Amino acid sequence: MTTSLSLVIKKILLLFLVFSGLYFAQEFLIPLCIGAILATLFLPFCNWMEKKKIPKGIAVFISLLGLLLLIFMIITLLGYKISELISDIEVLKQKAIEAGTKIQKYIFDTLNLTIAEQDKILKSEQPSYGNMVQVMLGSMTSFLSSSILLLVYFIFLLYYRNHIKNFLVKITPKVQQAEMQEIIKKVATVSQQYLIGLSKMIFLLWVMYGIGFSIIGVENAIFFAILCGMLEIIPFVGNITGTTLTVLIAAMNGADTQLLFGIVIVYGIVQFIQGWVLEPLIVGSQVKINSLFTIIALVLGELLWGIPGIILAIPLTAMFKIVCDHIEPMKPYGFLIGEIVVPKNEIEFVEKIKKIIKIKK
């Protein structure tokens, strides 16, 4: 088999241009993508209201109020639990000071640098307060403008959804218009199912981590359960990060080795239940991306768009796979990204659990 070198070069160049475009257009694309995915989440609710003869504009406005209420509830929940930790700040400060003193002593014993010399080095490396304030104000301004833009996209994408759909159908050849409508439907569906499944997963993780951390005696167990659950939006990395923070803060509060080991055991049990029971039941096969390309998508998302890229990586990759599955030249790429065939024994295991749950209901 011979492959034209110029064809390979063209494909590599095209790939480079696509990723370059994604990187340099991030300020435009990030709010647009988040707004579009959130709009698909409220799409069934908006359609339901319109079927009840509610005008489209009012239905979109009610959906916006629902989104704002959801965000407010999450912020309130986290803020309430964070306020419970304020009483521990002085203890954490003292622990941090003690740890810093030990580090300074270790540096003095190892490198023979006096504390005065160490302080001088640290001061020379610290940025000026003026620059820090300027960076913080710039970040807050950028965040607020992006948030407002996101809400604007959310409103207008919901309002003009049929108009955009008809445009995509019109630019498609007539023989492929039915397939284009199917692609649009599946892309919207997979986004909804991913977000709904993720929400269910986070709630169940809150419950499991809350029970586990409470049983072993972790202070502020509910807060750390919420933290570990919320970080589920970042697959693989999120739960590990949340558990690591729980272990570190527990250690700073003087937890013994048995408690720290218990936190790790709880994490292992929750991950086992999540991987073998919850994900097949809740998420199922809707986001059919194999683990290798899940990690690749997360890494590329972080490199291109930072934290928003990590959050958007999975749903966008799932949408890309659907498009690949419906375009003949790109079907091999969809196959490469997709999950391998699930072994029969795993399918039977999931079906048995589903039957048990139905019987209990």
Side-chain angles (χ1 to χ4, degrees), residues 102-338:
K102 290 179 180 179
I103 292 171
Q104 285 184 326
K105 185 176 183 303
Y106 175 79
I107 293 173
F108 175 73
D109 294 337
T110 306
L111 302 177
N112 200 27
L113 283 173
T114 64
I115 294 176
E117 291 173 333
Q118 294 177 38
D119 290 339
K120 186 178 179 180
I121 293 172
L122 287 173
K123 288 178 180 178
S124 65
E125 294 295 328
Q126 287 178 348
S128 66
Y129 289 109
N131 290 336
M132 290 176 64
V133 171
Q134 188 176 0
V135 170
M136 288 178 64
L137 288 175
S139 299
M140 289 178 63
T141 304
S142 176
F143 176 77
L144 288 174
S145 61
S146 297
S147 299
I148 294 170
L149 195 57
L150 186 155
L151 294 176
V152 171
Y153 285 136
F154 174 84
I155 294 169
F156 287 113
L157 286 172
L158 267 182
Y159 189 82
Y160 290 107
R161 61 187 185 276
N162 292 326
H163 191 69
I164 296 170
K165 177 183 176 182
N166 292 334
F167 163 74
L168 294 173
V169 172
K170 284 180 180 292
I171 63 172
T172 306
K174 288 188 177 181
V175 294
Q176 298 176 343
Q177 286 183 353
E179 189 172 12
M180 172 56 76
Q181 290 181 344
E182 184 67 18
I183 292 174
I184 295 170
K185 180 181 177 181
K186 286 187 175 181
V187 166
T189 301
V190 77
S191 176
Q192 294 167 17
Q193 291 174 335
Y194 174 76
L195 290 175
I196 293 171
L198 182 62
S199 301
K200 292 178 180 177
M201 183 78 71
I202 288 173
F203 176 76
L204 291 173
L205 288 175
W206 285 351
V207 174
M208 290 190 294
Y209 276 119
I211 293 172
F213 289 160
S214 298
I215 289 173
I216 63 176
V218 176
E219 291 185 21
N220 299 298
I222 303 301
F223 170 78
F224 290 113
I226 293 173
L227 178 65
C228 292
M230 288 296 294
L231 289 173
E232 175 62 21
I233 60 175
I234 307 174
F236 299 113
V237 180
N239 279 331
I240 296 175
T241 303
T243 306
T244 303
L245 289 172
T246 306
V247 170
L248 290 175
I249 295 176
M252 290 178 67
N253 281 322
D256 56 18
T257 306
Q258 186 176 0
L259 178 58
L260 300 179
F261 186 69
I263 295 172
V264 176
I265 293 295
V266 169
Y267 167 76
I269 294 172
V270 170
Q271 288 302 298
F272 177 81
I273 296 173
Q274 178 186 349
W276 287 92
V277 179
L278 297 182
E279 285 186 355
L281 287 174
I282 296 174
V283 180
S285 58
Q286 302 305 327
V287 184
K288 298 180 181 178
I289 307 170
N290 62 58
S291 299
L292 172 63
F293 277 88
T294 298
I295 296 172
I296 291 174
L298 292 172
V299 172
L300 287 176
E302 195 280 330
L303 288 174
L304 292 173
W305 292 352
I307 294 176
I310 296 175
I311 297 171
L312 291 169
I314 306 304
L316 290 182
T317 305
M319 294 176 188
F320 175 71
K321 181 188 179 300
I322 290 173
V323 175
C324 290
D325 289 340
H326 286 80
I327 300 176
E328 193 63 37
M330 298 184 70
K331 283 185 177 180
Y333 300 102
F335 171 79
L336 180 65
I337 296 171

